Amino acid sequence: MGFGDRWSVRSRIALFTGTVVALLCAGFSVVLVWALYMTAGENLLKEVTTAGARVAYLVDRGEAGSVLPYDPPSARDRPVQVVGPQGRVRAATPDMAGKPAMATFRPRPPLRKAIREVCDGVFGRDGCHIVVAQQVYRDGGDWIVYSAAPANAFDVPPGLVAGLAVGSVLVTAAVAYGTRRSVKRALMPVRAIRGELDEINASDLGRRVPVPEAKGEIRELAQSVNYTLDRLEETLEQQRRFTSDASHELRSPITAIRAQVEGALLAPQESDVSEIGQAVLKSLDRLQAIAADLLTLARLDAGAPCEREPLDLGRLVAAKLDTRRPLRRVVPNLAPGVIVRGDRIRLGRLVTSLLDNAERHAATTVRLAVRREDAPDGDPRFRSGAAVLEVLDDGAGIARNQRELVFQRFTRLDTARSRNAGGAGLGLPIARQIAESHGGTLTIIDSPHGACFLLRLPLSRES
């Protein structure tokens, strides 16, 4: 089990934030101590240089005695020596009286001041000292004024370290606690969404998760979840309707076959085998057609791949007309050279469905037209133009408010689409789905009489 499995989101965020704040506090403490150390070192060097400069001024005026006063009087740890041209100590502060020179280095011309760190020597085992040498010209020779201070004059106060440590811990704890509470409060809508989803999964898909009033990612998440639930409920409802309708459609021919067979078994002497066989075959043909339609829909729903090849739409329609026994007069107007790319079998099924529907509802005549059109404005699917198939019958037509209903599965409009007419309500839905799988559209448009189905497919560049 990994780290992410053992800790909640708010705990991980709080831990991450606390760690970052702790590192920042530690870095700030280090920088602060270092800055104080550097500032103290600069101040110490300035103080030592100032002490030596005062003595150099006295030497230059000839007012320096053999014993130099501390200046200021509180600077007891700022030893100063004056070394003459022969290297002999000519004056010193009381703590350096009688001692040899604290250093031997001199400023290099043209500089008149030099700074070095001197260890041991006259300072004994007290550690290293910062020594500043300042050159003074007097009586024809170079005099050197040495001033010094302990190099470790600044030590980090333990109280400061303790205060920084305690402050860092308190700040880290406060930030981590505040972050955890803020994340917990921010995730409360997520918990509500999760709880509602659990209730929905257990009881009713019609319920929806609460949408927070505040704008943000969680509000968008809730809206997306509700949209997904809407689509899921709609899909499940379609599945239920589809299963119910399919069962009903399949039950009809099965019931007819069963009734015919049972009648023949009850009265075998009065039954005509040929007549029963014809009736059973008719029911079996309907059953086979429904099963084939359901299989086609399943393949289309699954997005099964299909072969794409250049096809002359006019020739494809003409080939389908040649294999049919038309029940009505068919008037074709098929322009040549209207090329589309698609699956020959599926597009053939589409054309067959449109022809079957038109012949089923036409009074006397079905008119077919294949042509090319310019690309509709603003539709990227038809950049190279559109191949159009128009199928018009002279039947009763379809009301405007019912035109989309005929593309729903197992839908028949009134008695015009009864089972006696031979339709199961799957041909047109299959036709539209084939058109859309080829990047086209299948719609019903206004016409002076009858129903006019309009198929648009992307025109191939090869046409």
Side-chain angles (χ1 to χ4, degrees):
M1 183 180 293
F3 171 80
D5 299 329
R6 299 192 303 266
W7 293 69
S8 63
V9 173
R10 60 177 180 270
S11 298
R12 279 180 282 168
I13 294 177
L15 178 61
F16 174 77
T17 306
T19 302
V20 172
V21 172
L23 293 175
L24 290 176
C25 288
F28 171 77
S29 300
V30 171
V31 171
L32 177 61
V33 172
W34 176 253
L36 291 176
Y37 177 80
M38 295 299 295
T39 302
E42 293 176 359
N43 293 336
L44 177 64
L45 182 60
K46 184 183 298 185
E47 184 179 331
V48 172
T49 303
T50 301
R54 291 193 183 97
V55 174
Y57 175 76
L58 295 176
V59 172
D60 183 56
R61 294 174 60 87
E63 299 176 0
S66 59
V67 178
L68 300 174
Y70 289 112
D71 190 13
S74 60
R76 299 292 181 181
D77 56 349
R78 305 293 181 263
V80 179
Q81 288 180 330
V82 179
V83 179
Q86 293 78 23
R88 186 166 61 89
V89 177
R90 304 295 294 272
T93 51
D95 58 334
M96 300 298 293
K99 295 183 178 180
M102 65 177 71
T104 58
F105 68 92
R106 292 171 173 265
R108 294 181 179 180
L111 301 177
R112 302 183 64 84
K113 183 175 71 173
I115 303 171
R116 290 187 185 178
E117 186 173 321
V118 177
C119 299
D120 300 328
V122 297
F123 302 112
R125 298 182 179 180
D126 293 339
C128 299
H129 282 59
I130 299 296
V131 178
V132 179
Q134 301 182 65
Q135 184 176 352
V136 181
Y137 184 79
R138 180 172 179 268
D139 297 337
D142 291 330
W143 294 59
I144 303 297
V145 176
Y146 293 106
S147 55
N152 58 349
F154 175 74
D155 292 327
V156 180
L160 176 63
V161 176
L164 289 174
V166 172
S168 298
V169 171
L170 293 177
V171 170
T172 301
V175 170
Y177 177 75
T179 301
R180 195 174 190 277
R181 285 186 58 86
S182 299
V183 173
K184 181 179 179 181
R185 182 175 300 176
L187 292 179
M188 286 180 64
V190 177
R191 298 184 64 183
I193 293 173
R194 186 195 65 185
E196 190 66 23
L197 281 177
D198 292 339
E199 292 291 332
I200 291 172
N201 291 332
S203 58
D204 182 14
L205 282 177
R207 296 170 58 178
R208 294 296 177 263
V209 300
V211 178
E213 296 182 0
K215 294 183 179 180
E217 291 79 1
I218 297 180
R219 178 185 177 89
E220 295 173 357
L221 172 63
Q223 292 173 340
S224 298
V225 169
N226 285 336
Y227 175 74
T228 303
L229 289 173
D230 290 339
R231 294 292 302 274
L232 178 61
E233 185 180 16
E234 180 181 352
T235 301
L236 291 177
E237 181 61 27
Q238 289 178 350
Q239 273 192 334
R240 284 193 291 266
R241 290 199 307 266
F242 181 80
T243 303
S244 175
D245 293 338
S247 300
H248 183 73
E249 293 293 335
L250 291 172
R251 186 171 61 247
S252 298
I254 293 175
T255 302
I257 293 173
R258 183 180 183 89
Q260 292 156 356
V261 173
E262 287 179 347
L265 291 175
L266 289 174
Q269 293 82 7
E270 300 178 2
S271 301
D272 186 347
V273 175
S274 177
E275 181 180 350
I276 294 175
Q278 291 295 329
V280 170
L281 283 177
K282 185 177 180 180
S283 296
L284 289 175
D285 288 341
R286 178 173 174 78
L287 191 64
Q288 186 176 8
I290 295 174
D293 287 344
L294 292 176
L295 180 60
T296 300
L297 284 173
R299 290 174 177 172
L300 290 173
D301 289 339
C306 59
E307 295 292 334
R308 297 295 178 95
E309 58 178 317
L311 297 172
D312 188 314
L313 185 59
R315 290 184 179 180
L316 180 64
V317 175
K320 290 299 176 181
L321 289 176
D322 292 340
T323 60
R324 298 174 63 87
R325 293 181 180 179
L327 303 177
R328 303 287 186 271
R329 186 169 70 95
V330 178
V331 180
N333 181 16
L334 311 178
V338 181
I339 309 299
V340 297
R341 291 190 64 85
D343 184 275
R344 182 180 297 273
I345 295 177
R346 292 188 178 180
L347 289 180
R349 172 60 192 276
L350 187 157
V351 172
T352 300
S353 296
L354 293 180
L355 290 175
D356 289 343
N357 180 78
E359 287 189 346
R360 188 179 302 124
H361 302 102
T364 59
T365 306
V366 175
R367 299 182 182 277
L368 301 177
V370 172
R371 63 180 182 273
R372 67 175 64 197
E373 290 183 353
D374 294 334
D377 294 337
D379 196 333
R381 293 175 296 181
F382 305 103
R383 294 176 180 175
S384 301
V388 176
L389 169 62
E390 187 177 278
V391 181
L392 174 64
D393 64 67
D394 59 351
I398 302 174
R400 185 184 296 270
N401 61 348
Q402 293 182 327
R403 289 178 180 177
E404 285 300 313
L405 293 178
V406 300
F407 294 108
Q408 296 180 7
R409 299 174 183 182
F410 296 107
T411 298
R412 288 179 294 271
L413 301 181
D414 303 328
T415 58
R417 300 182 185 273
S418 65
R419 290 184 182 85
N420 295 330
L426 292 177
L428 293 178
I430 291 175
R432 169 171 277 191
Q433 201 156 346
I434 292 174
E436 292 176 349
S437 68
H438 283 75
T441 60
L442 177 60
T443 57
I444 302 175
I445 62 174
D446 295 332
S447 59
H449 53 80
C452 184
F453 286 80
L454 189 68
L455 168 69
R456 279 194 178 95
L457 294 174
L459 196 64
S460 174
R461 299 181 183 273
E462 302 174 12
S463 61

